[in-house]
Amino acid sequence: AQSVTQLDSQVPVFEEAPVELRCNYSSSVSVYLFWYVQYPNQGLQLLLKYLSGSTLVESINGFEAEFNKSQTSFHLRKPSVHISDTAEYFCAVNTGGFKTIFGAGTRLFVKA
Amino acid sequence: DAGVIQSPRHEVTEMGQEVTLRCKPISGHNSLFWYRQTMMRGLELLIYFNNNVPIDDSGMPEDRFSAKMPNASFSTLKIQPSEPRDSAVYFCASSLGTSGSMDEQFFGPGTRLTVL
């Protein structure tokens, strides 16, 4: 069975600093990988996804994630964060079918 | 499109009462999901439907929970009787359901349930 581990429950960072949110998955078959973001009092929104092809995927607001099959990781990075990036970020995996498994989430706090 | 619509946004009820949460998925989406989010357990999948048919309800915690999808544009999640430990934010999400695992899920704003 597949599983997702987000290694950090909270990540505090200063504005304009770089950040990395870590995600590892467990699966014996090919995977599709997702990062969702949840802003306060809202539902989750898709940030980016890896389905196939290039292992580096990017979002429209400067986030990127790299699929590393050998390390079974899909870490999320941003070179310079803004206050508005404060949110909870969920890594998710799907190995086929309709069921997507979500990680426990990482709360990103961006401080001025 | 208005996105996934959930009602009510907030519900406060007393233990033992029946609670009904409602969801209208995005038009044209064939898959619908109900999730529960708590601080302790994170985001849990309760049940999902494809083409109005329940496919997997293994996440439904107890017989007190039931979900229906009478048509493509409406679903309900019912808790009867409710208990304080049911307090959580309940999310409904929908997806196109054509590509299965590759589909993005679109989440509603959630219903915050408090059972006293």
Side-chain angles (χ1 to χ4, degrees):
Chain A
Q2 67 263 37
S3 64
V4 179
T5 302
Q6 292 186 241
L7 297 162
D8 306 293
S9 59
Q10 298 186 48
V11 174
V13 63
F14 284 103
E15 193 174 21
E16 298 184 5
V19 70
E20 179 179 77
L21 307 184
R22 296 178 293 168
C23 172
N24 285 91
Y25 66 92
S26 172
S27 175
S28 59
V29 298
S30 297
V31 296
Y32 303 118
L33 296 160
F34 307 81
W35 276 99
Y36 283 80
V37 59
Q38 183 180 27
Y39 297 103
N41 299 313
Q42 296 185 26
L44 281 70
Q45 308 170 34
L46 181 68
L47 187 61
L48 47 76
K49 62 183 177 182
Y50 168 78
L51 302 180
S52 65
S54 173
T55 58
L56 185 67
V57 290
E58 300 177 349
S59 72
I60 59 173
N61 57 353
F63 282 93
E64 65 179 28
E66 186 162 18
F67 170 54
N68 188 318
K69 187 175 181 179
S70 62
Q71 297 187 8
T72 60
S73 68
F74 191 55
H75 301 332
L76 182 70
R77 292 187 286 265
K78 189 171 185 179
S80 176
V81 294
H82 302 289
I83 296 287
S84 59
D85 292 325
T86 294
E88 187 157 18
Y89 293 80
F90 293 87
C91 183
V93 64
N94 190 307
T95 57
F98 297 97
K99 191 167 186 177
T100 297
I101 303 299
F102 287 83
T106 297
R107 290 183 179 271
L108 175 64
F109 295 101
V110 181
K111 301 176 287 186
Chain B
D1 199 313
V4 176
I5 299 172
Q6 291 187 248
S7 64
R9 292 293 310 276
H10 301 272
E11 176 80 32
V12 180
T13 190
E14 293 188 347
M15 183 175 63
Q17 296 297 306
E18 178 180 294
V19 174
T20 300
L21 311 181
R22 298 173 176 79
C23 174
K24 176 178 169 55
I26 293 173
S27 176
H29 282 192
N30 297 315
S31 290
L32 184 138
F33 307 81
W34 282 101
Y35 291 90
R36 178 172 67 177
Q37 186 179 40
T38 62
M39 289 292 292
M40 292 297 294
R41 301 172 68 91
L43 193 66
E44 303 173 276
L45 176 65
L46 301 177
I47 185 170
Y48 69 81
F49 295 84
N50 183 248
N51 291 324
N52 312 336
V53 176
I55 303 299
D56 185 346
D57 65 354
S58 60
M60 297 285 264
E62 300 171 34
D63 291 344
R64 298 184 296 107
F65 286 69
S66 63
K68 294 182 179 180
M69 192 165 185
N71 57 61
S73 58
F74 185 66
S75 177
T76 60
L77 178 67
K78 186 176 294 186
I79 308 173
Q80 165 63 20
S82 59
E83 298 183 2
R85 59 194 168 118
D86 301 330
S87 297
V89 180
Y90 290 81
F91 289 103
C92 175
S94 70
S95 70
L96 281 171
T98 53
S99 301
S101 51
M102 295 186 284
D103 289 335
E104 172 186 356
Q105 292 185 28
F106 293 81
F107 283 74
T111 295
R112 183 173 296 275
L113 173 65
T114 302
V115 183
L116 303 174

